[in-house]
Amino acid sequence: MLRAHTTVVLAMSADGKIADRDRTAARFSSANDLKHLETQIAQADGVLSGAGTLRAYGTCLPVRDGALLVQRHKAQKPPQPVQIVCSYSGQLDPQLRFFQQSVPRWLLTSEAGGDRWRQSPAFDYVAPWLRPPTDWQDILQKLYNLGIERLAVLGGGTLVADLVERDLVDELYLTLCPLLLGGKTAPTPVDGQGLTTELAIRLQLLEVKTMGSEVFLHYCRCHPESD
């Protein structure tokens, strides 16, 4: 069956951290990177973020650039992609500014997490699909059937790790930012238990761009025949 095409989009420090040791919001990228991120969001039907990422930032990044809005209109897409929050517990603060933003909101959660929000207008759709072990292949198929053909994944590292470990990441955009954070508790683009070298997911570098002191990397998953 067809599934949502997944594109991970992250900024990281030169030593591979997507946040500092306290896991605060990573606001170390430039205006160029924010424009790059908005461009990737504009190409998606849905944007998936973990609950920790939402709690850290309190908001999502909507499409605001006029040219990108026109691009979506020409592609017969709504002005904003669906913002999908992944939270097993469903424990989210309804006072977050995210819930006042003019974007469609979905919640990917467990049955218990869904019970917290079923009677609330905060989410346009509640998907109680999370149960151990999480079947991400099935979830991506369900999202595709609901019109999410292209999915942008914005973190955090545990969510990305779940997809990587199941070989469900199709593309990866990494912005390398000019700072060092360090710290063994600071999250990386792919957290989780990790993979052995033999099981590593192989990537193909498609493009490298440099703007100012940042490096923009675009990878795709190697086709199995080329592994």
Side-chain angles (χ1 to χ4, degrees):
M1 293 180 62
L2 294 173
R3 64 165 177 84
H5 178 97
T6 61
T7 300
V8 173
V9 189
L10 294 170
M12 69 179 188
S13 64
D15 56 335
K17 307 295 186 179
I18 59 174
D20 63 20
R21 64 184 185 183
D22 299 320
R23 295 179 176 260
T24 57
R27 302 188 186 278
F28 48 70
S29 59
S30 68
N32 286 329
D33 182 57
L34 288 176
K35 182 177 181 181
H36 165 74
L37 175 59
E38 185 179 354
T39 299
Q40 300 310 316
I41 289 172
Q43 295 176 6
D45 301 302
V47 178
L48 178 63
S49 301
T53 299
L54 176 61
R55 294 185 188 108
Y57 289 92
T59 63
C60 67
L61 178 62
V63 180
R64 291 175 290 206
D65 182 86
L68 295 177
L69 289 169
V70 169
Q71 172 186 301
R72 288 185 64 85
H73 178 73
K74 288 183 177 179
Q76 299 184 322
K77 296 180 182 292
Q80 300 295 329
V82 177
Q83 296 287 336
I84 307 170
V85 181
C86 179
S87 172
Y88 193 90
S89 69
Q91 294 181 353
L92 302 167
D93 183 357
Q95 301 304 314
L96 289 173
R97 194 156 66 87
F98 170 72
F99 291 105
Q100 281 74 56
Q101 291 182 281
S102 298
V103 295
R105 288 178 288 272
W106 291 7
L107 176 64
L108 176 60
T109 186
S110 62
E111 287 286 351
D115 289 341
R116 296 175 181 270
W117 296 93
R118 290 189 205 283
Q119 305 305 317
S120 170
F123 286 103
D124 302 290
Y125 185 74
V126 175
W129 302 336
L130 296 181
R131 56 184 61 86
T134 304
D135 188 345
W136 280 105
Q137 177 75 34
D138 180 65
I139 288 171
L140 294 178
Q141 288 173 354
K142 288 177 177 176
L143 288 176
Y144 184 92
N145 293 336
L146 290 172
I148 309 297
E149 297 183 13
R150 297 191 65 86
L151 182 69
V153 183
L154 307 189
T158 301
L159 173 58
V160 174
D162 282 349
L163 296 170
V164 168
E165 288 168 7
R166 291 159 178 79
D167 199 6
L168 292 172
V169 171
D170 301 299
E171 290 184 85
L172 173 64
Y173 285 91
L174 276 177
T175 302
L176 191 62
C177 301
L179 79 163
L180 298 172
L181 288 173
K184 62 183 179 181
T185 62
T188 66
V190 184
D191 279 343
Q193 294 183 350
L195 300 170
T196 64
T197 303
E198 292 75 16
L199 297 176
I201 304 301
R202 307 296 176 178
L203 303 174
Q204 178 183 351
L205 181 63
L206 299 180
E207 185 180 23
V208 180
K209 292 192 299 185
T210 302
M211 299 182 70
S213 296
E214 292 176 326
V215 181
F216 295 81
L217 305 169
H218 181 198
Y219 295 93
C220 73
R221 171 71 172 100
C222 286
H223 197 271
E225 283 79 4
S226 63
D227 282 359

